[in-house]
Amino acid sequence: DTAVSQTPKYLVTQMGNDKSIKCEQNLGHDTMYWYKQDSKKFLKIMFSYNNKELIINETVPNRFSPKSPDKAHLNLHINSLELGDSAVYFCASSAWTATNSPLHFGNGTRLTVT
Amino acid sequence: GQQVMQIPQYQHVQEGEDFTTYCNSSTTLSNIQWYKQRPGGHPVFLIQLVKSGEVKKQKRLTFQFGEAKKNSSLHITATQTTDVGTYFCAPDKGSGGSNYKLTFGKGTLLTVNP
């Protein structure tokens, strides 16, 4: 009964390939996020969706395209992968977008681009 | 933009010693959250502080929010090996609304020598 689940856990691929990461939450939350954590452990927000609507799009290359088919799912598709995309990608959800709603993170997807 | 500094970046202690990490903001905060990420794991919400001067305790962990709501600290008494991990503060200016995004400090990595 995992709250926020991402797949796959590990993803190793070559430069130029296209890959997707899936995320699902069963908490009934309205808001979902994608965060990128680099090798120095810095957590940086990429996207946020509220009830399937994109509300935050940080300075992220166009090669990254999130898709939210419903409020329980937020997938991340990455085109033309580059070496610099190697990182751990975390999906998260929160009950709402207000300032006092804790984030619940998935277990992360470790992406390695060779 | 909001400037947040989390110090120290690294801290190594002997088991049984105390540990403190600090989060300092250049602007007044609405609230601040703290997260812990075990090695290889995902960030887990610990606590949220909202009121000026607030102090909250969770067993050996003591969280404080400064009177001016610009600073916060997490103190662990008598560290144990289970405390190992990276501790992140997540300060919020309180803009709220649909464009709310939670940003994270760079974290303090705590290692404990048994």
Side-chain angles (χ1 to χ4, degrees):
Chain A
D1 58 345
T2 305
V4 182
S5 58
Q6 313 178 211
T7 54
K9 187 174 174 63
Y10 299 98
L11 190 51
V12 181
T13 188
Q14 292 183 327
M15 285 175 57
N17 285 348
D18 303 339
K19 291 292 179 185
S20 293
I21 308 172
K22 295 186 176 181
C23 179
E24 176 182 2
Q25 54 95 2
N26 63 5
L27 297 167
H29 287 170
D30 285 343
T31 309
M32 296 185 73
Y33 311 81
W34 278 109
Y35 279 83
K36 178 180 179 180
Q37 187 171 49
D38 60 24
S39 58
K40 296 184 178 180
K41 297 292 188 184
F42 184 47
L43 269 167
K44 183 175 170 58
I45 189 167
M46 299 173 69
F47 302 102
S48 173
Y49 271 73
N50 183 49
N51 273 321
K52 302 191 300 178
E53 182 182 345
L54 178 66
I55 56 173
I56 293 172
N57 184 349
E58 289 295 282
T59 308
V60 177
N62 292 336
R63 299 180 295 103
F64 291 80
S65 53
K67 282 189 172 56
S68 182
D70 55 62
K71 75 172 192 176
H73 295 83
L74 180 60
N75 304 322
L76 182 65
H77 187 76
I78 315 171
N79 289 326
S80 303
L81 279 155
E82 301 177 356
L83 292 176
D85 297 332
S86 295
V88 180
Y89 292 84
F90 286 102
C91 176
S93 71
S94 63
W96 51 82
T97 58
T99 62
N100 58 353
S101 183
L103 297 187
H104 296 254
F105 284 85
N107 289 332
T109 296
R110 181 174 294 277
L111 172 65
T112 304
V113 182
T114 60
Chain B
Q2 181 178 305
Q3 297 294 320
V4 170
M5 182 172 291
Q6 191 172 350
I7 54 173
Q9 192 173 358
Y10 306 98
Q11 183 78 61
H12 179 74
V13 299
Q14 287 291 128
E15 190 170 22
E17 292 181 340
D18 293 354
F19 158 77
T20 305
T21 175
Y22 302 88
C23 189
N24 301 314
S25 171
S26 58
T27 58
T28 302
L29 303 171
S30 170
N31 65 77
I32 189 165
Q33 298 177 14
W34 285 92
Y35 291 76
K36 175 184 178 181
Q37 183 177 17
R38 294 180 187 272
H42 60 279
V44 175
F45 173 76
L46 293 176
I47 209 155
Q48 179 172 268
L49 304 172
V50 180
K51 299 177 183 177
S52 168
E54 189 169 16
V55 178
K56 288 187 177 180
K57 293 192 175 185
Q58 290 178 352
K59 298 182 180 178
R60 295 178 294 102
L61 277 60
T62 302
F63 303 84
Q64 292 190 340
F65 204 8
E67 293 290 339
K69 299 183 73 172
K70 287 185 176 183
N71 308 299
S72 182
S73 65
L74 158 58
H75 180 82
I76 303 178
T77 303
T79 55
Q80 299 175 358
T81 54
T82 53
D83 296 324
V84 165
T86 301
Y87 293 84
F88 293 96
C89 66
D92 180 47
K93 274 199 310 185
S95 55
S98 61
N99 63 349
Y100 166 65
K101 57 181 179 181
L102 193 66
T103 56
F104 286 79
K106 293 190 174 181
T108 296
L109 173 61
L110 170 65
T111 54
V112 179
N113 197 29

